[in-house]
Amino acid sequence: LAVACRAARAAQAARVSAAAAAGATQTAAQMLAARRTYVLEGRGDPRLLCAEFLLGIVLRPVQVQVLNLLLDRTHRDSAAVQQMLMGQGKTTVVMPLLTLLLANTNMTEGKRLVVCCMPAGLLAFTRQVIREFYSTPVLPRPVFTFVFDRHSPATDQLLALAARAQDAMSPMVSTPQSVKSVVLKLVELNDVLQRHNWICRGGRAP
């Protein structure tokens, strides 16, 4: 934790020096006065310190608040919806950090498959942002893409792709259309299976 804190502070000092050299004294002063809201009584999550160093930022209080709320709801198996204003780091900060924090292994829950769902128009940009986050030697993880539609066959390769992402603790990006198509395909195949079982038992298909 101490090494990560020094590295993050060194990166912050470099940003302050650059801001001061550019004449942005107010920005430099704000950087110097910034506090880590996730560090309490000298204790904090080293993963967040690592993320600060990799992203070259200091986490804002609203970002830490949203992260803590979503993590708490996930651990309690409860849904949550959070709204953030434009420019507060939804895609570039909060989403990559959630993929890291949610996919980690622990003794009670095991590995978890994390799927990031976004509009099709933002898929390429979001995938690139997450890939840049995981492109460093500190966090070398692949980013998987899940594409599916109503006409796609349900194959073992799709299941293997999800299992591979879960085993590697890597995020998977997808779109609402793909997720909805999977659910509809499940309903369709379940109906076909029920009809088949009904016929095999000597009855008529409903």
Side-chain angles (χ1 to χ4, degrees):
L1 181 61
V3 174
C5 187
R6 291 192 189 99
R9 281 298 184 187
Q12 183 183 7
R15 294 193 299 272
V16 171
S17 299
T25 55
Q26 183 176 359
T27 301
Q30 291 175 348
M31 290 181 180
L32 287 173
R35 294 185 177 182
R36 289 186 167 84
T37 54
Y38 58 88
V39 177
L40 300 175
E41 297 180 357
R43 296 183 178 182
D45 193 332
R47 296 173 298 181
L48 297 184
L49 276 173
C50 180
E52 284 189 338
F53 175 71
L54 294 177
L55 296 174
I57 62 170
V58 174
L59 290 173
R60 304 175 188 175
V62 64
Q63 294 168 345
V64 176
Q65 180 182 359
V66 171
L67 282 170
N68 288 336
L69 186 143
L70 294 178
L71 289 172
D72 178 69
R73 292 294 183 88
T74 301
H75 294 324
R76 290 192 287 143
D77 197 20
S78 176
V81 176
Q82 282 291 296
Q83 180 180 2
M84 296 180 68
L85 299 177
M86 181 180 296
Q88 289 188 327
K90 297 182 294 294
T91 303
T92 58
V93 177
V94 174
M95 181 176 290
L97 274 176
L98 278 176
T99 63
L100 172 67
L101 299 175
L102 292 177
N104 272 1
T105 306
N106 59 61
M107 298 301 293
T108 58
E109 298 178 0
K111 295 179 179 179
R112 181 187 291 114
L113 175 63
V114 179
V115 179
C116 303
C117 188
M118 71 287 300
L122 297 176
L123 178 64
F125 170 73
T126 305
R127 179 173 53 201
Q128 182 63 27
V129 169
I130 299 177
R131 279 179 175 168
E132 289 177 359
F133 180 76
Y134 286 110
S135 63
T136 64
V138 181
L139 294 171
R141 294 182 185 178
V143 178
F144 297 87
T145 304
F146 180 77
V147 179
F148 196 86
D149 58 45
R150 288 292 305 275
H151 304 291
S152 300
T155 63
D156 293 338
Q157 286 76 11
L158 291 175
L159 182 60
L161 178 67
R164 182 183 172 192
Q166 180 177 353
D167 186 63
M169 293 185 292
S170 298
M172 177 179 285
V173 296
S174 187
T175 63
Q177 292 83 356
S178 294
V179 175
K180 181 176 67 175
S181 296
V182 169
V183 176
L184 293 177
K185 178 65 73 171
L186 176 63
V187 174
E188 177 186 346
L189 293 178
N190 185 60
D191 181 67
V192 172
L193 182 61
Q194 288 182 349
R195 289 172 181 267
H196 176 74
N197 292 337
W198 183 274
I199 294 174
C200 289
R201 289 195 298 267
R204 291 183 177 181

